Amino acid sequence: EDKAEFEEMLDRMSVKLVSLKEMYFTKVLDGKPGESGNLTTDITMLAVAVLIILIALINFINFFFALVPARLRSVNTYKIFGVSRSSLVLNFIGESVGLVLLSLALAALLVYAFAASPLSDILSSNVGIRDNAAVMALTVSVALVAAVGGSIYPALYITSFQPALVLKGSFGGSAAGRRLRNVLIGFQFAISIALIVCASFISLQHSYMMNYDMGFNKSNLLTGNIPLGLCWYGEQNHAFEDRLRSNPQIEDITWADGRIVNTSRMGWGRDYKGETINFQCYPVAYNFLRFMGIGIVEGRDFSESDEISDGSSMIFNVQAQKEFNIDLETPGPGHGAKTEVVGICKDFNFKPLQYGRAPFAFYVFGKDHSWRSGLRHIYIRTAPGANPAEVMRFVNNTVAEMRPDTDAETYGVDFFDKELGAQYKMIGLFTLIAIIISLMGVFGLVLFETQHRSREIAVRRVHGASVADILKMLNLKFIVIVLVSFAVAAPASWLIVRKYFEGFAYHTEIVWWVFAAALLAVLVITVAIVTLRSWRAATSNPVEQLKSE
């Protein structure tokens, strides 16, 4: 009989092979939601990092070109005195490599400072330099290759002019050079607009997620891990809770086996009514549902007596009831035969919003919980108007007093929102850095334009052009480039955002005003930069400028 039941169980099972490299990102195993990472987030972070490197390289080339008029005379003077072009090119490449090495040293100091700061808490991995030697080596290699590759063309360009022509003062940029610089700045503008759009939607999604009704009360909530001796089922639990409840800033306390919103927890496969059912199981204290404001739609909530009963108690969500035909009369699929399904609760989001809702069960152990070490994850509801920082210090100090032998790094409480939004803050932070670096390139191009077109500006001034006319002329070129770049960036960013939102079961809408705001922001910043950088050239004495030419 046992053999027949075993063979029947095997018939219901299926096998699916998954590449080891893809296991972390696999969302579905055997037709059921599996535990996985967020591939969309990882790809987004990697894409932002690559764009930062690419934009930095373009900025480097642009600034190099910006210095061409100022350095051209000295370069060709060296050529007149017999210095070969190859030597000059190698000198420029060596200069670029030296600047990159200096930048890498400064970057290493910034990483060290970041690792020692509270900001490092937003990362789940270690950012120590010693623990990331391979990453550091790859970064240095990529930076050096970019330095050499990015300096070859500008070095060849600046050494390509005839010395006599330059020393006579009649140097002018070629049409091909102008087209190249326009393409480079246009590419930067397109990336800037796309990054602003994507960062805005990431921020909107973060806000949407923080304010989304996940089916439980998130207000005034602190959470964290507590040492075993003080946790639920711990030998000092009652004394610990009494100390915490004595603080008027603490309204209520409850416990659970891990975070309520989590991508991984116990996945149970149990026999129920002759079939194998699969669901997420979450051991909690008896007051957990009341604490979280999760309503009961059928049956009853857990009670304190369930903690001392001979069996265990379960409360399934509506999703599980519908899929598995859960009722309150059939013994529950828990540990042993004495498991009772005492109620059905409303559905709620127990995973991040990338995932939909699925079958779920709360579980309360009876008096036979000796195999459980304890529910270590605490939830604290602060009173209205309470100071969360003071409450967190009070909890940590209480733990330190009652369990002085416990390492302070292994416990502590923090804001509940931090559990939900850390990855989005990281994306937003590095996207902002990419936007700033991208817009910095405008300075180099404007500097080159004002230096290269200084004679034209002076001639226009002599023939009666006003300062406003000059500024309008210089701004118009960049405004046209921004508009063309927007025409490229808008559909590209829309596709990126749509693909990003495909990773969420719940997400905000793709609204048009974000694209308009991104265009307006880049236009305002560009006009401001061009005007400020061009003001000196437009207001200088044209006669003096023509004399120097």
Side-chain angles (χ1 to χ4, degrees), residues 131-198:
D131 298 320
N132 295 279
V135 175
M136 291 292 295
L138 178 62
T139 302
V140 172
S141 300
V142 170
L144 291 178
V145 169
V148 174
S151 59
I152 289 177
Y153 177 75
L156 292 174
Y157 179 81
I158 197 174
T159 58
S160 64
F161 297 95
Q162 293 298 324
L165 181 65
V166 175
L167 292 178
K168 288 179 180 179
S170 59
F171 163 72
S174 66
R178 289 195 297 271
R179 284 195 297 270
L180 173 63
R181 291 188 293 276
N182 290 340
V183 169
L184 290 175
I185 193 64
F187 181 73
Q188 283 189 279
F189 278 132
I191 290 180
S192 298
I193 293 170
L195 285 174
I196 291 173
V197 170
C198 294

Side-chain angles (χ1 to χ4, degrees), residues 501-530:
F501 281 166
E502 286 179 359
F504 292 85
Y506 310 89
H507 60 79
T508 188
E509 298 295 325
I510 301 180
V511 289
W512 66 268
W513 60 263
V514 172
F515 297 88
L519 174 60
L520 180 62
V522 173
L523 280 175
V524 169
I525 293 173
T526 301
V527 170
I529 292 174
V530 172

